[in-house]
Amino acid sequence: MRIVDIITKKRDGGELSREEIEFFIQGYVAGDVPDYQAAAWCMAVYFQSMTPAETTHLIKAMAFTGETLDLHDVHPFIVDKHSSGGVGDKTTLVVGPIVASLNVPVGKMSGRALSFSGGTLDKLESIPGFQADLTIDQFKRQLRAVGLVVAGQTHELAPADGKLYALRDVTGTVPALPLIASSIMSKKIASGADAIVLDVKVGHGAFMQTEAEGVKLAELMVQIGRRLGRKMSALIGDMSQPLGRAVGNALEVIEAVETLHDRGPADFREHCVDVAGEMLLIAGLTTDPAAARARAAATLADGIAWAKFREFVAAQGGDVTFVDEPARLPRAPLIEPLPAPQSGYVRQVDAREVGFTVVDLGGGRAQTGEPIDHAVGAVLAENGKVGGMVEAGEPLLWVHARTQKTLDAALARLANAYRFSDEPVAAPPVIHRIIR
Ligand code: URA
């Protein structure tokens, strides 16, 4: 077999066999397939897509090239969640502690920023000392001791995704349904989850722009997961505007801390309670969705989710004094408001524009492996979200920037992210649909 023939076959719309997909993935992980061929292959998949059978072969090849974790010596039933990515999506920081505080262990492999979408690990690394690179042994020990661990991809687990994820980010090949499905599901299968809750975002700030595309992605992953013996469910969440109010690494940690103290923005809190409730349902804590959500919400009100978050941060080397006093987290030197150009109701906040602006401010990466600025980002005003009513000149959001040049560029770009209406506008639903 030759890699160039596999690329050409996909480029021309052919269906790859299991053997061809395994050959490509194993060769890429071994270093025999160079990045330029892998990039060409990703682009061919982007344009030609894959059949469900090809996607299943790809998920398996990516999950089983490398080690797989067996966590059953830690707990008989491991529940995991994964978001398909979005802007202001700090859900894991709140949902993980909620679920773990109810004695359902969460051992999660997370990613870094990808295109306009932020990454959970980058957010957590704004906490001084926080260590995302754990060995399998450390991962298991922490899961046993604390019930919550969030770590990066190791070279041992799903290494194909580790390499492909970074390559896709810089080659314009992120928003391809089979590549997203295989990236998410290979990680989840390799990391030993028995049950997986998928948090699939739809809208202009997500890789799947329409509800129909999101449902297609979710249904494909649910089907494949079930075929591989996993319990699955998926929420289709809104990402037409940023989730919550903060976008940017340390700013999102601050918002997560606020939410864990039950003072977070309403949409983000509702989203977290819905995702956590789904995880409690799938873990079998209750069979009643309303009761599951109520139990999740109670952990925010009574402080046990917050206590679990602190324990988790400390276990991964993070200095908890920074989450106890989040004002000490990295803070940008320049903070300036974006004034509303007119009075009216906010009709649109383009989440993708906000996401790319934060990348340009230094909060994301243009090149694989680049360092990021944890302090920069944007914080939307409470009424600067869809449905909010603003007077001309009132702040829509605040930009947190490192330099005057990036600040000015961000303010100019964000001015185009907003649309207004003279008539009242309804806020979009937080969750569009649940697939159980
Ligand atoms: N999350 C992932 O893990 N992979 C993707 O490709 C997109 C979102």
Side-chain angles (χ1 to χ4, degrees):
M1 249 184 272
R2 291 189 326 151
I3 292 296
V4 65
D5 297 332
I6 295 174
I7 298 170
T8 315
K9 185 171 173 186
K10 185 38 66 189
R11 182 200 66 194
D12 296 341
E15 180 168 4
L16 300 178
S17 66
R18 178 168 60 80
E19 291 74 17
E20 286 166 327
I21 290 173
E22 282 175 359
F23 183 74
F24 168 77
I25 291 295
Q26 286 164 7
Y28 187 47
V29 169
D32 301 335
V33 176
D35 274 347
Y36 55 81
Q37 282 191 309
W41 182 84
C42 287
M43 193 57 87
V45 173
Y46 175 88
F47 282 113
Q48 296 292 355
S49 195
M50 281 184 147
T51 63
E54 283 178 295
T55 310
T56 308
H57 297 320
L58 182 59
I59 290 173
K60 286 192 186 167
M62 287 171 65
F64 300 124
T65 301
E67 286 185 36
T68 50
L69 265 184
D70 183 352
L71 299 171
H72 292 121
D73 53 334
V74 179
H75 198 270
F77 195 78
I78 299 292
V79 181
D80 201 351
K81 61 114 354 211
H82 201 85
S83 163
S84 62
V87 178
D89 188 357
K90 67 239 32 130
T91 307
T92 293
L93 274 57
V94 175
V95 160
I98 292 179
V99 173
S101 73
L102 292 168
N103 299 320
V104 175
V106 180
K108 183 162 162 40
M109 255 208 272
S110 281
R112 298 192 179 277
L114 192 61
S115 184
F116 55 83
S117 155
T120 299
L121 300 180
D122 293 319
K123 293 168 201 186
L124 284 167
E125 283 173 353
S126 2
I127 305 168
F130 189 91
Q131 263 305 323
D133 293 327
L134 303 183
T135 62
I136 291 178
D137 239 31
Q138 289 170 318
F139 188 97
K140 279 189 162 192
R141 239 183 292 130
Q142 186 175 320
L143 190 61
R144 196 175 283 118
V146 179
L148 177 58
V149 50
V150 180
Q153 206 116 20
T154 66
H155 294 299
E156 300 136 296
L157 291 177
D161 181 53
K163 285 188 82 173
L164 280 174
Y165 194 92
L167 183 76
R168 286 166 55 218
D169 190 21
V170 292
T171 55
T173 51
V174 171
L177 192 143
L179 297 181
I180 296 177
S182 56
S183 165
I184 293 178
M185 290 303 291
S186 64
K187 279 196 279 276
K188 301 294 103 176
I189 303 289
S191 59
D194 298 294
I196 302 160
V197 172
L198 300 167
D199 180 12
V200 175
K201 303 293 199 312
V202 296
H204 202 219
F207 298 122
M208 298 291 113
Q209 305 230 346
T210 63
E211 187 173 333
E213 279 178 75
V215 168
K216 197 168 156 198
L217 172 68
E219 284 178 342
L220 178 69
M221 293 194 285
V222 164
Q223 252 175 34
I224 293 173
R226 286 199 183 131
R227 248 185 262 141
L228 294 172
R230 273 37 175 208
K231 271 179 92 173
M232 302 289 303
S233 70
L235 298 99
I236 310 295
D238 188 75
M239 192 41 79
S240 56
Q241 62 176 342
L243 184 58
R245 291 172 48 199
V247 185
N249 299 288
L251 295 169
E252 293 190 44
V253 172
I254 295 171
E255 187 163 275
V257 167
E258 284 294 298
T259 306
L260 286 161
H261 286 298
D262 216 6
R263 302 187 291 249
D267 65 331
F268 177 55
R269 180 188 183 278
E270 183 183 333
H271 180 75
C272 291
V273 166
D274 286 344
V275 174
E278 206 55 36
M279 290 173 77
L280 300 177
L281 269 185
I282 210 167
L285 237 66
T286 164
T287 52
D288 174 11
R293 284 196 297 274
R295 286 192 72 172
T299 68
L300 298 175
D302 64 22
I304 62 169
W306 163 244
K308 185 55 73 181
F309 179 76
R310 282 187 92 251
E311 197 186 344
F312 145 73
V313 167
Q316 280 185 237
D319 182 340
V320 284
T321 62
F322 283 82
V323 292
D324 288 342
E325 277 178 75
R328 292 181 57 215
L329 285 165
R331 190 174 170 81
L334 302 173
I335 302 173
E336 276 204 21
L338 171 71
Q342 64 178 89
S343 300
Y345 296 90
V346 177
R347 181 165 59 81
Q348 187 192 358
V349 190
D350 186 331
R352 181 172 295 234
E353 276 302 294
V354 177
F356 275 128
T357 304
V358 173
V359 174
D360 289 347
L361 282 164
R365 295 181 182 82
Q367 293 287 324
T368 310
E370 259 180 13
I372 57 167
D373 189 337
H374 289 109
V376 298
V379 179
L380 278 64
E382 196 172 346
N383 47 355
K385 296 207 39 160
V386 174
M389 219 280 280
V390 289
E391 298 294 339
E394 195 181 323
L396 292 169
L397 55 76
W398 288 265
V399 173
H400 293 231
R402 181 70 52 195
T403 66
Q404 192 63 45
K405 190 169 164 214
T406 54
L407 175 76
D408 292 343
L411 287 169
R413 187 165 188 177
L414 288 170
N416 292 320
Y418 275 83
R419 295 283 177 276
F420 300 89
S421 160
D422 293 334
E423 303 300 323
V425 175
V430 172
I431 300 290
H432 291 267
R433 198 184 304 188
I434 299 181
I435 300 167
R436 293 206 177 95

